Structure formats: C-alpha cells, structure tokens
Amino acid sequence: MSIVDEIASFLLERNRFLITSHARPDGDSVASQLALAAALIQLGKSVEILNADPPPPNYRMLPEIDRLRVGRRAEGAFDASIVLECNNLERTEVENLEGYPAVNIDHHPVNDRFGVLNWVDPSASAVGEMLFHLFRALPLRMTPEIAANLYTAILTDTGSFQFSNTRAETFRVAAELVEAGADPGRVARDVMMNQSESRLRLLARLLGTLEFDTSRRVAWITLDRRMLDETGAAENDTEGLVNYPLSVDRVEVCAFFREIDAESYRVSLRSKGDLDVGGLAQQFGGGGHRNAAGLTAEGRYPEVRDTIVRELRNLIETSNRDHGEPTN
Ligand code: AMP
Ligand code: MN
C-alpha cells in the first residue's frame, strides 16, 4: 500500500483530529490546514486547528479561516495529530504534541520522520499539492472552497509559479483545482492584493537597509523591532519581503535578518539556481529547501551578519569553483 493510501485509511479509521503546522505560518501552512480541516469535516470527522502564531493578515479572506485557533499547548481528546510542513515537532512551537500519534506530511528535503506515518515529498511544490493527491485517495468531493485553499497553498509556496519548485505537475494540479472552482483572479485579489498599508510602509523602510557585499552577489536587508513600531506592521506582515533583494540582476543569494532581541536574530535565506541555502541553514541548526531556508542565530547584529554573509559568499565561491567559473 502506498503511503498516501495508508494515510487515507488511517484518517478514515479515526474520528478526532488535531491539525497543526509550523510557528509563524505561511500561505502553504495556513491554506493547507484549512483545506485539510474542510476535507475531514466533509468525512464526518471532528477537527481542531491549533497554531502557535496567528496567520498573516492577508489570508483573512480564505474559506474557513475562522477555524484557526492560536495557542501553544495541545490539549483534549484527539485520536491523532496531523502535522503539516514541519521537519520536526519542535517547529510547531506547540507543546504536548508528543501525547498524540502524528501523521507527518511535509515537503522539506530533511525531515525527522517523527510520525507514526510519514509522508515526505521534497519534489512537491507545496504541502497543498500533496494534499490534492491525498484527497483523491479519499471518498471526498473537491468543493470550490477546498480547491481555493489548495490553490492558494501552491500559489504562495511557488512565489506565484516563479520558484524552481514549480514543475509541470504543479500546473496539472493547479489546473484541476481551477476546474474544481478555485478562481485564480479572485485568489490573487484576496491574498496578494489584500496586504496591510503598514506592510508596504515596512517594505519601504526595509529597502532602505539594503546592502551588498563587495562582489554584489550577496545582498541583505535588516529589520529591527523599532521599524515594526514605527510602521505599525506586525511580525507576520513580513512574509515574502525576503525575496526583494533577489530581484537585482547580479544578486545570487540574499538574507533577511530579523531582530528577535539584541542577542538573537531570525535569518531567512533565498537563492537563485543551484545555490543550496537549505544545506547552509541546516549547519546553523535551521533548515528549509535549496532556494528558501531559515535559521535562528545567537549574537549581536554585526557578528551575525558577518558570519552569514561570509557563509553566503563561500557558498557562491564553492559553487563557482565546482563549475569552473571565476569568482568575481
Ligand atoms: P522563511 O524564511 O521563514 O520563509 O522559511 C523558508 C523555508 O525555510 C521554509 O520552508 C521554512 O520551513 C524553512 N525554515 C525557516 N526557518 C527554519 C528553522 N529555524 N528550522 C527549520 N526550517 C526552517
Ligand atoms: Mn511549504
């Protein structure tokens, strides 16, 4: 039996589910959880969605968004948890999940396989794409609401079908979702063109922090807590802003430093082509994909920045050496 069929049987045999995903959820985690909740409810199951942090505000129009509950401890009588987009249970930042058998559904290349069932497919563009196949294996009707959520998960995790995780299969699934009632224009308007004014003002401030190394191939932007206060933006307004430095022609890798406190920073990394920032993030105790990864670094800003920029520069030089290109 395939893992997809195993998970389908597991879900059909049980009744009460806790759905969760990573802290500081993004479009894939939010919309995939909502799609899964709607699917399980259609199957007559009882479902709770619990996340450590609230969804970014631009997802407020998603069907079933009110089902999301914010909390940091799992409690209640559940037959199982379903954990989406997490390479380990700690990424949820929800306590007490160890008490429930977990179904682990993820598309990160490195995953701790913490579940009783583990389905990890790094070739999938988004967990939303994986759920599409799971729903096929269940006696389910693909409603326009479920389709819209799965489409949103794929749209956001592929950067609107731009990132290298976009494959022919991604478009096939997206096409089926559109046939099932997902409306691309409406989703774009509801999700992409529904950001807060303060997010744009924060972007303006952030772009003012843009810096490059001497090769101009590494770029970074930096957020300190004051900028959030000054613009009125929330922590979860920052999703996607990391990508802006990559729009510059010579830039091959970029970093987004976010102050947690004076001694620790959350670092998001993005790259073009073969440069593997996921491997780099892992060396620092973080993780992610080849072209999109993250980590938390301890230390004051100048040290953290210098270390990460040096590693990014090394990454480019090592890759150029492998491909026999000059480094400057
Ligand atoms: P972000 O930069 O937060 O948008 O994350 C980019 C990718 O890296 C996502 O796939 C995340 O799940 C992953 N990621 C970010 N931070 C971490 C971390 N501390 N540990 C493991 N994976 C991470
Ligand atoms: Mn994802």
Side-chain angles (χ1 to χ4, degrees), residues 201-228:
R201 297 205 181 279
L202 180 67
L203 173 61
R205 285 291 309 273
L206 267 179
L207 292 180
T209 72
L210 177 65
E211 288 184 83
F212 300 87
D213 80 331
T214 51
S215 74
R216 320 293 289 176
R217 293 176 173 191
V218 181
W220 62 94
I221 51 178
T222 306
L223 173 78
D224 62 40
R225 304 219 60 98
R226 216 181 43 226
M227 293 180 196
L228 295 179

Side-chain angles (χ1 to χ4, degrees), residues 20-258:
T20 188
S21 185
H22 55 81
R24 296 167 295 282
D26 59 12
D28 188 21
S29 42
V30 172
S32 289
Q33 291 181 99
L34 297 174
L36 181 58
L40 291 172
I41 287 162
Q42 199 191 117
L43 293 170
K45 313 292 180 181
S46 86
V47 182
E48 184 176 315
I49 310 178
L50 182 66
N51 287 181
D53 297 296
N58 57 309
Y59 298 115
R60 65 187 175 277
M61 305 294 282
L62 292 186
E64 316 269 354
I65 187 74
D66 294 336
R67 285 193 184 283
L68 279 174
R69 220 169 55 70
V70 177
R72 293 197 166 232
R73 188 176 168 82
E75 260 156 348
F78 300 107
D79 300 325
S81 68
I82 310 171
V83 183
L84 305 183
E85 277 224 282
C86 289
N87 55 339
N88 55 46
L89 271 186
E90 291 68 49
R91 281 279 289 152
T92 63
E93 296 185 20
V94 172
E95 287 171 19
N96 202 37
L97 285 172
E98 298 74 16
Y100 309 95
V103 178
N104 167 12
I105 304 179
D106 186 25
H107 69 141
H108 289 100
V110 179
N111 182 290
D112 285 356
R113 304 189 74 83
F114 53 84
V116 290
L117 289 170
N118 299 283
W119 179 24
V120 181
D121 181 2
S123 74
S125 66
V127 165
E129 185 181 319
M130 298 172 72
L131 291 183
F132 175 82
H133 296 293
L134 174 64
F135 294 173
R136 277 275 165 95
L138 286 163
L140 264 181
R141 216 169 14 89
M142 176 63 74
T143 62
E145 290 76 25
I146 294 175
N149 273 322
L150 292 182
Y151 179 87
T152 301
I154 294 169
L155 183 75
T156 55
D157 242 30
T158 58
S160 302
F161 303 103
Q162 294 178 60
F163 300 152
S164 57
N165 58 353
T166 309
R167 303 163 305 150
E169 177 64 10
T170 316
F171 289 106
R172 266 180 224 119
V173 170
E176 296 223 26
L177 292 171
V178 172
E179 275 166 358
D183 177 343
R186 165 117 194 243
V187 171
R189 207 168 57 236
D190 284 355
V191 173
M192 307 294 184
M193 291 170 247
N194 216 352
Q195 310 277 5
S196 65
E197 179 183 332
S198 42
R199 182 181 191 269
L200 196 63
R201 297 205 181 279
L202 180 67
L203 173 61
R205 285 291 309 273
L206 267 179
L207 292 180
T209 72
L210 177 65
E211 288 184 83
F212 300 87
D213 80 331
T214 51
S215 74
R216 320 293 289 176
R217 293 176 173 191
V218 181
W220 62 94
I221 51 178
T222 306
L223 173 78
D224 62 40
R225 304 219 60 98
R226 216 181 43 226
M227 293 180 196
L228 295 179
D229 297 338
E230 286 169 8
T231 57
E235 171 89 36
N236 65 5
D237 271 321
T238 60
E239 192 201 344
L241 302 184
V242 55
N243 294 302
Y244 281 90
L246 272 195
S247 67
V248 177
D249 50 6
R250 286 191 65 177
V251 171
E252 294 175 41
V253 286
C254 71
F256 178 19
F257 298 98
R258 258 175 296 178

